[in-house]
Amino acid sequence: MTAPRARGARRPQSIREVVENGLCIGCGLCEALGPDQWRMVVTPQGRLRPAPCGTADPAVDAAILEACPGTVAEAEAEQGARVDPVWGAWRHMGEAWAGDADIRFRAATGGVLTALGVHLLTTGKADFILHCAADPDRPMRSRWVMSDTAEQVVARAGSRYGPSDTLAGLEAALARARPFAIIAKPCDAGAVRARAKADPRLDRWLVALLVMVCGGASDLGKSWQVLEEFGIEEDELSLFRYRGYGNPGRTRVETQDGRAFEKTYNQMWGDAAGWHIQTRCKLCPDAIGEAADIAAADIWPDGAPVGEDAGFNGVIVRTARGGALFDAAVAAGDLVGGREHGPRDYDHFQPHQVHKKRAMAARLRGLRAAAKPHYAHAGLRLEALDSGDRAEEAGARRRAEGGRFAERMPSRVAKRA
Ligand SMILES: Cc1cc2nc3c(=O)[nH]c(=O)nc-3n(C[C@H](O)[C@H](O)[C@H](O)COP(=O)(O)OP(=O)(O)OC[C@H]3O[C@@H](n4cnc5c(N)ncnc54)[C@H](O)[C@@H]3O)c2cc1C
Ligand code: SF4
Ligand code: SF4
C-alpha cells in the first residue's frame, strides 16, 4: 500500500528532521540499518535517539526513512478480517492469560505475550524471540535482547515503561537466518511491516509480530523522579521493576546494599501530568498495534486498575497467522482463553485510546498549521475518525509553534565497538 499524504502534509526529509521535530520514538531501526552512520544514545532528557557516528550515507538514510515511525505509519487489514472504525482489523477479541501460573504472576498483566513467546520456542515454530529487557548493568534502562530459551523469555517478562530500542536488534536477528518472533511496541511493529517491503528476509524468517497496546513510552525522567523520591542514585540499583509480580503489581526498586522500595500502580501513574510521555506518543496514530499479528492489553474498566487480580489480558488477534498461533497456544495449554470481547468492550477498557484515535487528525492539522512536518499515514482511518476538535488542533499548533515538540539532535559519538 502506498502511504497517501494528508493534504498539505510534509514528511520529514532526514533523520535529523525526524528527531528535531519530536517524531523519533527511538525504535532503534537507525542503528540496525546504519551501524556505521547511527548509534542509539540516551539523551540528557532520558530518551533514546540516534546520534551520528560515522560518515553519512544517503542510501542508508533513505532506507531508514522508508520505515521510520517518524515518517510513515501504515496498517493494512487482511482479507477476511472485520474492521472496526476505532480498533482496526480483528479476527478475535477476548480475555486470555498464561496457562503457567508463574508466568501469569511475573508478567505485566496475564502473561499472554510471554506465554506466546514460550509457545513459539517450545514448539519449534521460532528459534528465538527479539524483544527487550532490563539492562543487567543498569536495571532502570532497557536494552534489546534475543531470547533463545523459554527460561530467558520468562525472566524477561514485564512492561518496561521507559525508552526501548528493540529494533536496534533487527539486523542481528535477520543475520541469524532462522525463524524468529518479535515482541515490541505498536510503533515498532509498524516499522517492521514497512521495512518488510524492502527486505524479503522478514517475510521469510519472521513468524510472529506481537505487541502490547501502548499508552505511551515515558522518558527516563519518570524513573529518575521515582529514584529522587526514594533518595537513591541510579548506580545503586540492582532492580527496577515497573510492574508485574501480580496484576498490575507494584513498581519495585531494590538497591545493591539490600534496600527495597515500592509504589502501587496508582501511586506511580495516578497523576498523568508526571508521566514524561515522549512527543511521538502524543502524536501516535496507532498505539493499538494495528500492524501486529496479535496485540495484548489490559482490560480494566475505564482504563485504570481497581486493585490487584490474578492477571487478565485482552487480546486482539488481527491476522490469520495470529489466529493460528493463538489457537495453537490455547490447544497446547500455554494460553487460557476467557470470555469473548468486541470492539465496544475495548472502548470501555481503553477510553484514552479512543480519544487519541479521534483526536489525531486534529493534532496533525495543528502541526501543518505550524508548518511542521509529520508522518504519512495509511490504513489507520484517522480522517474518518476525525473529531474536528478545534481545541486539539489549536493546542498542537501552539505547542509546535512554541517549540514544545522540538528536540536537539544528539552530538556525534564513536561507533559501537
Ligand atoms: C510503555 C507501555 C505503555 C503501556 N500502555 C498500555 C495501555 O495504555 N493500555 C494497555 O492495555 N496496556 C498498556 N501497556 C501494556 C501492558 O502493560 C502489558 O504489556 C500488556 O497487557 C501485555 O501484558 P503481558 O502480561 O502479556 O506481557 P508480558 O508477558 O509481561 O510480556 C511483555 C513483553 O513485552 C516486552 N516489552 C515490555 N516493555 C516493552 C517496551 N517498552 N518496549 C518494547 N517491548 C516491551 C517484553 O520484552 C516482554 O516480552 C503498556 C505497556 C508499555 C510497555
Ligand atoms: S523513530 Fe526509529 S527509525 Fe526513526 S529516527 Fe528514531 S530511531 Fe531512527
Ligand atoms: S504511544 Fe505510539 S509512539 Fe509511543 S511508544 Fe506507544 S506505540 Fe510507540
Side-chain angles (χ1 to χ4, degrees), residues 25 185-187 214-217 280-281 284 286-287 356:
I25 187 57
K185 308 185 295 294
C187 52
C214 178
R280 173 59 172 74
C281 303
C284 186
D286 174 19
K356 189 143 111 175

Side-chain angles (χ1 to χ4, degrees), residues 15 18-19 23-30 40 50 64 68-70:
I15 289 162
V18 172
V19 173
L23 295 168
C24 174
I25 187 57
C27 73
L29 194 68
C30 282
M40 300 306 293
I64 294 167
C68 164

Side-chain angles (χ1 to χ4, degrees), residues 85-104:
V86 175
W87 293 96
W90 64 289
R91 288 169 181 270
H92 166 72
M93 287 185 179
E95 254 177 12
W97 54 90
D100 180 286
D102 181 52
I103 293 178
R104 189 179 186 188

Side-chain angles (χ1 to χ4, degrees), residues 25 69 164 185-188 212-218 277-289 353 356:
I25 187 57
S164 63
K185 308 185 295 294
C187 52
D188 301 329
M212 80 286 297
V213 165
C214 178
S218 304
I277 295 292
Q278 301 183 59
T279 298
R280 173 59 172 74
C281 303
K282 295 173 184 153
L283 301 170
C284 186
D286 174 19
I288 60 178
Q353 300 288 5
K356 189 143 111 175

Side-chain angles (χ1 to χ4, degrees), residues 32 77 104 118 131 142 192 197 214 265 363-364 413:
R104 189 179 186 188
V118 167
H131 60 145
S142 303
V192 169
K197 292 177 187 170
C214 178
Y265 184 91
R363 290 183 192 171
L364 297 184
V413 292

Side-chain angles (χ1 to χ4, degrees), residues 37-60:
Q37 287 75 36
W38 301 104
R39 175 175 171 180
M40 300 306 293
V41 297
V42 178
T43 67
Q45 295 74 30
R47 302 168 189 149
L48 278 162
R49 296 291 181 259
C53 69
T55 311
D57 182 336
V60 165

